[in-house]
Amino acid sequence: DANAQILRHAHAFRDGVRAIEGGATVDCEIVAERYLEARERIIAAARMSDLIVLTPVAELMETRYDIMRAILFETGRPVLLVPARWEKAPAFRKIVVAWDGGASAARALGDAMAFIEQADQVEIVRVTPDSRTKSADVAALGAHLSRHCRSVQVNELPLRDGDVGKTIREHASLTRADLVVMGAFGHSRLWEKIGRAHV
């Protein structure tokens, strides 16, 4: 009965996606197999995607949480996490770029460049142990992005309560950011926290 209910929900969702106006052609596939086989098919398909859109899953024991983690860490493709019950238009006017200087952050930055170039304001943030710590590579990134963006700011955020995820989350909320760009490969615990908070 539970599987039948999930399948009905999947069909209703597929029909809703196909009914979206705008002239876009949307291919939909419902994967209804044993979990491990379905997981592998989803990951394989995701690796050939331009952009993956997911709703964060907070429950660690749910199979959907495992699939979300697998897509984040095993596909190598950009993922857009959209909070449940999100109703705003996809207009990314204010973007926060969380920067740690690593390869995953650089990859996320490159993947999001189409959004970044159209934003009204881009803020690069780096979380540091305290407000006196400065990083030269953040300033260099600011100079680089200033060639692509209308307005770029650089901000060093002191670490709050020993939690990088909380620091970025609270700053994004305070500044009313429309989008946070960050790497996932080096931030598994941070992504877990963001998933639980449904930012």
Side-chain angles (χ1 to χ4, degrees):
D1 288 345
N3 286 340
Q5 183 178 358
I6 292 170
L7 191 58
R8 285 194 297 271
H9 176 75
H11 281 282
F13 183 82
R14 180 190 62 188
D15 294 343
V17 169
R18 286 177 171 171
I20 293 174
E21 297 180 358
T25 301
V26 180
D27 293 326
C28 297
E29 179 184 1
I30 295 173
V31 178
E33 298 181 6
R34 293 179 183 270
Y35 176 68
L36 291 179
E37 287 83 358
R39 184 183 189 275
E40 290 307 310
R41 281 186 62 186
I42 291 169
I43 291 171
R47 287 178 179 149
M48 295 179 282
S49 301
D50 295 322
L51 177 67
I52 302 160
V53 181
L54 295 176
T55 298
V57 180
E59 295 77 9
L60 299 182
M61 300 307 292
E62 278 199 21
T63 54
R64 291 185 305 133
Y65 181 86
D66 177 59
I67 289 175
M68 179 186 75
R69 281 186 51 84
I71 289 173
L72 283 170
F73 298 110
E74 297 177 30
T75 64
R77 304 306 303 138
V79 177
L80 180 63
L81 290 177
V82 180
R85 298 175 298 278
W86 184 262
E87 296 180 354
K88 294 182 181 179
F92 304 131
R93 290 181 288 273
K94 167 66 186 288
I95 296 178
V96 168
V97 176
W99 183 254
D100 66 2
S104 63
R107 183 170 197 161
L109 181 70
D111 288 337
M113 192 58 73
F115 297 139
I116 289 171
E117 289 178 335
Q118 296 181 36
D120 294 331
Q121 184 181 3
V122 175
E123 181 183 13
I124 304 164
V125 299
R126 180 170 184 133
V127 179
T128 58
D130 58 69
S131 59
R132 295 166 296 178
T133 305
K134 301 297 179 184
S135 174
D137 68 334
V138 175
L141 178 60
H144 166 68
L145 286 186
S146 67
R147 297 191 289 268
H148 299 272
C149 307
R150 296 184 184 98
S151 172
V152 179
Q153 294 179 316
V154 175
N155 198 351
E156 303 273 356
L157 302 178
L159 183 64
R160 293 175 59 86
D161 302 324
D163 190 330
V164 175
K166 180 180 179 182
T167 303
I168 294 171
R169 213 167 46 237
E170 289 182 352
H171 181 78
S173 178
L174 182 66
T175 59
R176 298 184 179 275
D178 299 305
L179 179 69
V180 176
V181 174
M182 62 185 298
F185 298 96
H187 293 288
S188 58
R189 291 182 183 176
L190 177 56
W191 275 104
E192 288 177 9
K193 292 177 186 295
I194 287 179
R196 290 192 195 111
H198 288 227
V199 168

